[in-house]
Amino acid sequence: MAIAESCVDAVVMEMVAVYCGGLYAAKPELAARRIEAIGFQVGHQLSERYTMERPRFSDHLEAIKFICKDFWSELFKKQIDNLKTNHRGTFVLQDNRFRWLTRVSLDPYTENRDSTENDSAALGDTAAQTTTMLLYFPCGLIRGALTNLGIPCSVSADMSNLPACSFVVRIKT
Amino acid sequence: MPPAPKSGDALFASVDRVNAELFTLTYGAIVRQLLTDLEEVEEVNKQLDQMGYNIGTRLVDEFLAKSNVSRCVDFKETADVIAKLGFKMFLGVTATVTNWDVEGTSCSIVLEDNPLVDFVELPDTCQGLQYCNLLSGVIRGALEMVSMKTEVTWVRDMLRGDDAYEMRVKLIKQVPEEYPYKDDD
């Protein structure tokens, strides 16, 4: 069964709006935790479904590769573009064109050429904030998936080169 | 001459699609988190409805852009378009319009299949939760963007043991559109 992609986009964006603009408008840290928790739950369940017929992964790298290839393809229709590791439990997964950021613009001057500098900065800050909050959801997806595969970890996102996005996975020991 | 409206299947094929599981599980996780954060089931129902309303006001743009549907002449035609084209385009399911009242201002939209609820079981502590309130909110939001103020309520819900999902849609007011320029249609 297939759903229009805009339905997923709409639900995810509306979740971010509810938690950041509504329920926890004054407490961004709590909003972030809620959004990440939702992503965690979804990632946990999805990795269960996507690995039902596979043998157990033999090591952490195999599980990370599963995230980069199968998991990412199911969700974003492409694989992670680049995987790096320091061989000490940290992995960086880079998506050169992260699907959920391709419709996001953070350059206020592009959108509001006639605004004053202060207005532009404020609008840009708001957009950056929303995008930062949105990224807690895919971070939760990855952490939930890996936790279900027996790998407790923390995940953070780096969006300094939009629309590329890097997800930094730190495995807990 | 404007192009003919696309069929439901053509519309379905014309939009980017993703695995329904991501949608279903994401919605389920959101509902669960809201139940934790809001405590009162009735507050969750309101929040889901408002989320749906906001989404509906945006999805209607995509629907009109892709479907080639032109102006519907009345509420009856609008309900048909939603059931036959809108549900197919977005959710990949077919809905039925039935139970019109005499005035033609109230009807039911019935779904036998509902992707929102795959994998869902409600515990006894969630009596009163309108799990699919997002969907009724979407309908209300979309209709308001085409100048029809409605009230949408769930009258049958399989999560509560009924045999189908049935929304009752009641037209409250149809606001005539006012143009600052002459209408050339």
Side-chain angles (χ1 to χ4, degrees), chain A residues 1-15 17-19 22-24 33-35 37-39 41-42 45-46 49-50 74-77 99-100 103 137 141, chain B residues 12 15-27 29-30 32-34 36-38 47 50-52 54-55 58-59 62 89-93 113-115 118-119 134:
Chain A
M1 179 180 275
I3 291 271
E5 187 170 24
S6 53
C7 293
V8 173
D9 293 347
V11 168
V12 171
M13 290 310 299
E14 194 58 28
M15 163 191 60
V18 163
Y19 275 100
L23 301 181
Y24 293 102
R33 235 187 286 158
R34 296 302 197 274
I35 293 166
I38 290 169
Q41 186 66 54
V42 178
Q45 290 168 306
L46 285 172
R49 299 185 62 76
Y50 295 158
E74 285 282 352
L75 297 186
F76 305 114
K77 304 187 182 182
R99 202 170 186 94
W100 287 347
R103 284 183 280 262
F137 183 67
L141 285 170
Chain B
F12 180 90
V15 304
D16 282 336
R17 311 207 74 87
V18 296
N19 193 312
E21 287 173 352
L22 173 60
F23 178 69
T24 304
L25 293 172
T26 297
Y27 184 65
I30 291 170
R32 188 192 317 214
Q33 189 63 52
L34 287 173
T36 300
D37 290 328
L38 293 177
Q47 187 66 67
Q50 184 62 48
M51 289 174 72
N54 294 343
I55 289 169
R58 296 195 294 269
L59 287 190
E62 183 182 1
M89 171 175 166
F90 288 110
L91 298 182
V93 301
D113 198 10
N114 182 352
D118 287 344
F119 321 121
L134 185 94

Side-chain angles (χ1 to χ4, degrees), chain A residues 85-104:
Chain A
T85 178
N86 65 1
H87 301 290
R88 288 193 301 268
T90 298
F91 297 84
V92 180
L93 289 63
Q94 178 166 313
D95 188 325
N96 290 340
R97 194 172 173 77
F98 184 50
R99 202 170 186 94
W100 287 347
L101 295 181
T102 53
R103 284 183 280 262
V104 172

Side-chain angles (χ1 to χ4, degrees), chain A residues 31-160:
Chain A
R33 235 187 286 158
R34 296 302 197 274
I35 293 166
E36 201 272 351
I38 290 169
F40 178 92
Q41 186 66 54
V42 178
H44 198 279
Q45 290 168 306
L46 285 172
S47 70
E48 182 84 22
R49 299 185 62 76
Y50 295 158
T51 58
M52 247 182 317
E53 290 161 22
R54 298 180 62 132
R56 185 173 292 268
F57 296 112
S58 55
D59 60 24
H60 289 170
L61 182 57
E62 285 300 308
I64 295 285
K65 283 180 176 176
F66 160 77
I67 298 293
C68 293
K69 295 176 179 171
D70 301 286
F71 190 78
W72 219 249
S73 295
E74 285 282 352
L75 297 186
F76 305 114
K77 304 187 182 182
K78 67 185 280 285
Q79 296 183 2
I80 284 280
D81 295 292
N82 195 277
L83 170 64
K84 297 173 182 165
T85 178
N86 65 1
H87 301 290
R88 288 193 301 268
T90 298
F91 297 84
V92 180
L93 289 63
Q94 178 166 313
D95 188 325
N96 290 340
R97 194 172 173 77
F98 184 50
R99 202 170 186 94
W100 287 347
L101 295 181
T102 53
R103 284 183 280 262
V104 172
S105 168
L106 292 189
D107 184 350
Y109 300 101
T110 303
E111 290 176 328
N112 309 285
R113 202 174 299 273
D114 294 326
S115 299
T116 67
E117 185 163 335
N118 285 341
D119 289 344
S120 303
L123 287 169
D125 286 347
T126 301
Q129 217 166 50
T130 300
T131 306
T132 299
M133 283 298 178
L134 168 65
L135 290 172
Y136 280 99
F137 183 67
C139 287
L141 285 170
I142 297 169
R143 187 172 74 86
L146 287 171
T147 300
N148 189 31
L149 301 175
I151 304 178
C153 59
S154 66
V155 182
S156 58
D158 172 4
M159 62 169 187
S160 46

